[in-house]
Amino acid sequence: MPGQFTSRETTLSPGAPTMAFTFRAALTTLSLGAALAATAVLTTAPAQASTTETHRVCQTVLAPLAPGETASKVLSKRCFDEPVNAAAQRRPLPDELLVTFYEDEGQGGDESEVYGGETCDSEGYGISDMDDVQDETDGVSSYTLFGDCDVSEKFDDYDFEGSSSGLIFGQNQPWVGATWNDGGIKSFSLHS
């Protein structure tokens, strides 16, 4: 009958014993063997741990300086961990990105992004106490300015006091220098 397995008897050689088998039994044996082999591979394969590396990102929104003010007011702040390779997928805030501070020289590691309602003008923005930024990045080692912000100044004391770096022109600061690295910046200003 079509579609039915049949038994077959085969003689291996003259005088040898006769062997009877069915194709169904042979197929069942092969299927069972393949399933056991696959199970053995799956159960003996080492479990792979998650190796997704993350870094910390904080986003702060500042108010522009009002006439006569030197320090910008913090309007909001949020921090989160994200996969290292996901930075390009991050949703920016609706405000203008002004500066990003980085943990490592060369703009790497944990980040603290600072936004404003508008880009820099001649008054700009001022961060009178950099302790939060220093904590968020585990110590600032580099930074990048954005938009019309292209002049910055670092101070070694709070409220724009103490020694100053002087005006720094240019948006890309891949290394803040030994004096300012990992906690040396106590206050920071940026403007156009």
Side-chain angles (χ1 to χ4, degrees), residues 81-93:
D81 293 324
E82 74 174 6
V84 170
N85 60 355
Q89 301 168 10
R90 181 180 316 144
R91 271 173 66 192
L93 297 175

Side-chain angles (χ1 to χ4, degrees), residues 66-122:
E69 290 182 333
T70 56
S72 299
K73 292 180 179 109
V74 174
L75 301 177
S76 68
K77 177 181 281 291
R78 71 178 183 171
C79 295
F80 51 92
D81 293 324
E82 74 174 6
V84 170
N85 60 355
Q89 301 168 10
R90 181 180 316 144
R91 271 173 66 192
L93 297 175
D95 300 283
E96 290 285 330
L97 179 59
L98 305 172
V99 60
T100 300
F101 296 98
Y102 300 92
E103 172 185 19
D104 300 328
E105 67 180 278
Q107 284 83 6
D110 293 345
E111 302 172 31
S112 181
E113 298 175 336
V114 179
Y115 292 80
E118 53 194 47
T119 191
C120 285
D121 58 14
S122 60

Side-chain angles (χ1 to χ4, degrees), residues 58 60 74 77 112 129-138:
C58 291
T60 304
V74 174
K77 177 181 281 291
S112 181
D129 182 342
M130 286 283 289
D131 285 351
D132 281 350
V133 172
Q134 296 289 358
D135 290 343
E136 294 160 1
T137 59
D138 205 22

Side-chain angles (χ1 to χ4, degrees), residues 3 10 30 33 36 40 54 67 86-88 97 110 114 118 120 128 130 132 151 157 166 173 176 181 183 191:
T10 305
L30 286 174
L36 288 172
T54 63
L97 179 59
D110 293 345
V114 179
E118 53 194 47
C120 285
S128 62
M130 286 283 289
D132 281 350
V151 180
D157 203 355
Q173 300 299 313
V176 296
N181 189 46
H191 53 89

